[in-house]
Amino acid sequence: MKSSKAKPKKKQPAKAKSEVTIKIDGKEIKAKEGQNLVQVARENDIFIPSLCYYEHIDPPLGTCRVCMCEVNGKPAPACMQKVKDNMEVRVNTPEMEDTRKAIVEMMFAEGNHFCPACEKSGNCDLQHMGYEMGVSISRFPHLFKDRLIDFQPKRMIIEHNRCVKCHRCVEEVRTKDGKRVFSLCNRGNETVVGIDYEQEAKLTREEALAAMKLCPTGAILVRGQSMARPFGDRPFDKKSVQKEEAAKKSVVESTVKEATGKKVIATISLAGCFGCHMSMLDIDLGLIDLLEVVEFNKSPINDIKKFTRQCDIGLIEGGCCNSENVETLREFRKKCDILVAVGECSIWGGLPAMRNMIPLEECLEEAYLNSITTVPGEHIVPYHEDLPKILDKVYACNEIVKIDYFIPGCPPSPEHIWKAVKNLLWGEHYSILYSEFKYD
Amino acid sequence: MEAETLSKQRAHPELLNCLWEYQNQHGYIRDEDIEQCSRRFGVSRIELEGVISFYHFFHRRPTGQFTIYLNNSIVSEFKGFQRVREAFERETGSRFGEIDPSGVFSLFETSCIGLSDHEPAALINFHPFTNLNTLKVRQIIASLKQGVPVEELCDEVEDNIRYIPPGKRAVFFREYFPGNAITKLAGMNPEEVIEEINRSKLSGRGGAFFPTGLKWGLCRQQTARPKYIVCNADEGEPGTFKDRVLMNSMPGLALEGMAIAGYAVGASEGVFYLRAEYRWMKDKLEKEIQRLYRMGLLGKNAAGIEGFDFDIRLQLGAGSYVVGEETAMLNSMEGKRGEARVKQYYPIERGFLGKPTVVNNVETLCAAARIIELGADHFLSTGTAASPGTKLISVSGDCHLPGVYEIEYGMKVEELLKLCQADEPYYIQVSGPSGECISMADKERAISKDDLSCGGALMVFSKQRNILQILLNFANFFKEESCGICTPCRAGNFILQRKLEKVKLGLAQNSDFEDIRQWGRIMQTASRCGLGKTASNTLIKALDTFPEFFEVQSGNGLTRKFDLTKATEEYEKFKS
Ligand SMILES: Cc1cc2nc3c(=O)[nH]c(=O)nc-3n(C[C@H](O)[C@H](O)[C@H](O)COP(=O)(O)O)c2cc1C
Ligand code: SF4
Ligand code: SF4
Ligand code: SF4
Ligand code: FES
């Protein structure tokens, strides 16, 4: 699929490139002068995050900026650096780690990523970067920009909600006669990657599949093609590029402290699917141990409908999609000393927020009036004073009340939830392994 | 001509002009035009769509017989933009962003059009209309409807040159005799020209202050041929209009500067990249180019120097702020989207069509021409020792004498404010939105390279103005004008703009202001080009400079002001 008129590589002068020594995070490394820094790091088992970088594109695209490192004391994108003698690179400084993480978070805030519903999940570079950097929530507000899913191409489907504008497809996907199939269109916050239907139709199925693979996200899909590998076997399922062994050593074994009196927990599912609650129950027998140190107040677990006392901690699943959710959430804020948002839906809206890009009126009409099973004239959009009122969009819990902690995941693993709760209630130390931090 | 340049995308230097022809002919670029272009240049349609959609003066849907672009910069906003906007809608029966049913008028908003000393201002079929008000709009539209040609209706743009240094010290605004600068070349070799520029300590006037002599010298050393000189006349920084005044009052000076640069670095072709907003000066500039040719100052053996051939052509932009960034400009000249390039090579190494290219600002080239004409000593005798020379400052906003001031470096802010008769100055924006804001606490600071550096704009706002409105206007500007290629700028500007909306609604807490600082810093470190690197400067600086303003804005901490009634308003429609 490469440019068909692949020009002969520029002839390098016969003299071999000289060997140079550089330092990455204090470690001395030998490399060939002029080699790409990201590449050199990879070859030496040092992980520099990257998304748009693609070995044979030269000059590198330099669009995503998730590879920011300190090069000779100054922040710079690593993929744009050719190694020179005595180059000093710092990858893992707190500042650079935070900058890279922020940029990945920006991509999540800017696009509309619903991983549980995504074909690329587990094979997705962006998702992978999120995990590697420990992105739990995006510090940025989700922008919920309405974007298209383009079903018009012959072989492909372009999911604009997921594109991070990395430019890979623009540079690399060409027809046999060298014409571009993709181009960025518009500019500023309206920038999208456009596809040429005429040229796309000329691609072979293999070329289309190669484009799907090239895309670091789930933005380019090929019709009828699903991911062949089952869950657990996908490229980014279990293996972290970071050294897990080291992490394991630092795990402190759980020791429930002698509790002084039982702590009181309340839980609720707002606009969620009860998946997070199912996950809470998934500690199986652990639940019995847990009940020795805590008691549940208002919660679907015991079906107590009304608060009977002030609680130590409240666990919220789901965001707010109607007025009743808002009232319940506000009540929780009053009745719980610590409020924790559990799961993606309560953190930023999650799957229910897929409707945030569409006006409410359109949503309701589609659901109640225009669906195939409705009879024209016989159906109405439900409205009654006893019914909760639907909000204009799905709100994250922290847009309505102050949330003290967030436990990410869809759903978060049971261990994660209870480790976090025990930490909050008794200050117990805990760490979470990469494999426990994978949710799909 | 097709050339393989940095990216694997081929260059098509004629593409922009070709698109302009279609745009002018039909009022928009039709599908068949794209088809034709695609065959002519051998590129796919989507590549053309990508280029067209990058520039906001190109349209893919029909526009009316008259296209009206109303400037929405902050100065315009404060001088009655909203009323003028409504007047245009009322009088034309059309709405902004849409075409009116009769197909006569199309209304659009646009970023600063370089007429900040005459706001509110608009371009109608690219002719300037200044100092608009409701009555004037009514008269203009009525006359247009009666068939009066736009050329007759439009305003003569005044230069508003308000101040030059006393004595004969002026560098720019003194009498201009065509050829006086170029003809000096006859007695100098290229090294001597560069030496003279070096000696004058001239540094770039486009905002980055890179030493001009050094740039020329480095380009001279390049062995690749041909070399190019580009005059950056894209003056897009809101509030800046000094280049406009230079081009309008002495169009030949920058052209001479280009020829001098060409002689110094060994280039034989110059491109004058004029922003489309200044299309009304295009004829004047082209006539001036022709005049210089007739005088023998351009072309073969230019200025009578054996073996020095130098041609200049004018390239019209198509509406994009970021194209003022030099590498984005090179892309634009090659018929591509005006995205900033990755910084693998400097333009002097590989610029236009991959060849060594010097990009200089209009004012820089004018200064260079004057230095050769008058000698570096004249230049050095003005300004301060560390920062010699004079600087053009475009002053606008709340003052009685908006216009261009040729000040000597070292002038105090206070003095300039006095000269322009500023009204109770309170918030002062230096170098446009991508520069910084200062308050009267900085009035003692000197405008110079080593104290308060100024790219060429000073916008003065009085205490009556709402700082948040200023900042939001800037945020909208950056959100629109980011080229969109790198994440921190594309997403970051959008996010900051949302944040400011939140502040405007009174929903912000102190943590929101901390977010603005931190997020802004991330944009500064990680963005690819100057736009993203500077876009958050003003915002962060404003938090430090006007803390009292933001205290009032911030909410009380823990409670979120979630408005349930408002959130359910839409649903209430279904109550029957
Ligand atoms: C976003 C952005 C916009 C710019 N706009 C302009 C401009 O309108 N005019 C200009 O001369 N330089 C502009 N520049 C600066 C140019 O990149 C470049 O530095 C300048 O043209 C070099 O000329 P000088 O050395 O004569 O200043 C801009 C830079 C950036 C980052
Ligand atoms: S592309 Fe798909 S898997 Fe990747 S982050 Fe987006 S939604 Fe998740
Ligand atoms: S579609 Fe995929 S490859 Fe293309 S720019 Fe978007 S994320 Fe990158
Ligand atoms: S900083 Fe902004 S304008 Fe510059 S390259 Fe990045 S997206 Fe484009
Ligand atoms: S990997 Fe370096 S900018 Fe994308």
Side-chain angles (χ1 to χ4, degrees), chain A residues 61 180 198 382-383 389 398, chain B residues 44-45 528 560 571-572:
Chain A
L61 300 168
R180 287 190 168 189
E198 187 190 332
Y383 183 102
K389 294 192 167 89
N398 78 335
Chain B
S44 59
R45 275 183 271 181
R528 182 193 277 193
R560 304 281 193 266
Y571 179 65
E572 293 292 351

Side-chain angles (χ1 to χ4, degrees), chain A residues 105-153:
Chain A
E105 288 172 18
M106 273 185 192
M107 292 177 176
F108 280 104
E110 184 196 28
N112 295 309
H113 296 271
F114 299 94
C115 295
C118 179
E119 292 79 353
K120 195 88 172 224
S121 185
N123 291 297
C124 170
D125 289 340
L126 173 62
Q127 189 188 46
H128 177 55
M129 285 308 143
Y131 281 132
E132 290 296 343
M133 294 181 197
V135 172
S136 48
I137 61 166
S138 173
R139 69 193 75 179
F140 308 106
H142 281 262
L143 299 167
F144 290 122
K145 198 169 165 51
D146 189 8
R147 292 201 171 81
L148 288 177
I149 305 176
D150 189 349
F151 288 98
Q152 294 208 53

Side-chain angles (χ1 to χ4, degrees), chain A residues 346-359:
Chain A
S346 65
I347 292 175
W348 62 273
L351 285 182
M354 284 179 108
R355 80 155 156 101
N356 285 8
M357 286 88 74
I358 307 164

Side-chain angles (χ1 to χ4, degrees), chain A residues 59 61-65 110 172 180 184 186-188 196 198 330 361 382-383 389 392 398 400 402, chain B residues 8 44-46 50 53-54 56 319 337 344 480 482 486-487 490 526 528 558 560 562 567 571-573:
Chain A
L61 300 168
T63 57
C64 73
R65 321 305 274 186
E110 184 196 28
E172 285 295 291
R180 287 190 168 189
L184 288 190
N186 307 331
R187 67 173 190 224
D196 193 305
E198 187 190 332
R330 283 178 170 160
E361 201 172 339
Y383 183 102
K389 294 192 167 89
D392 53 348
N398 78 335
I400 293 166
K402 180 173 189 280
Chain B
K8 280 189 268 164
S44 59
R45 275 183 271 181
I46 197 69
S53 59
F54 188 86
H56 79 247
R337 291 166 57 80
Q344 206 178 26
E480 294 260 316
S482 149
C486 75
T487 318
R490 180 188 64 240
R528 182 193 277 193
L558 292 191
R560 304 281 193 266
F562 178 74
Y571 179 65
E572 293 292 351
K573 281 188 211 146

Side-chain angles (χ1 to χ4, degrees), chain B residues 203-212 215-216 230-237 240 242-243 275 320-329 340 358-365 434 478 481 529-532 534:
Chain B
S203 63
R205 299 296 173 84
F209 298 99
F210 191 83
T212 308
K215 191 187 270 189
W216 291 9
V230 176
C231 176
N232 186 340
D234 195 60
E235 195 166 53
E237 190 69 42
T240 318
K242 61 180 179 75
D243 295 347
R275 69 191 302 231
S320 154
Y321 161 68
V322 65
V323 160
E325 197 277 341
E326 53 190 4
T327 62
M329 176 165 285
V358 165
V359 183
N360 273 137
N361 171 256
V362 174
E363 186 185 336
T364 315
L365 290 167
S434 65
F478 288 122
E481 297 289 344
C529 86
L531 191 151
T534 57

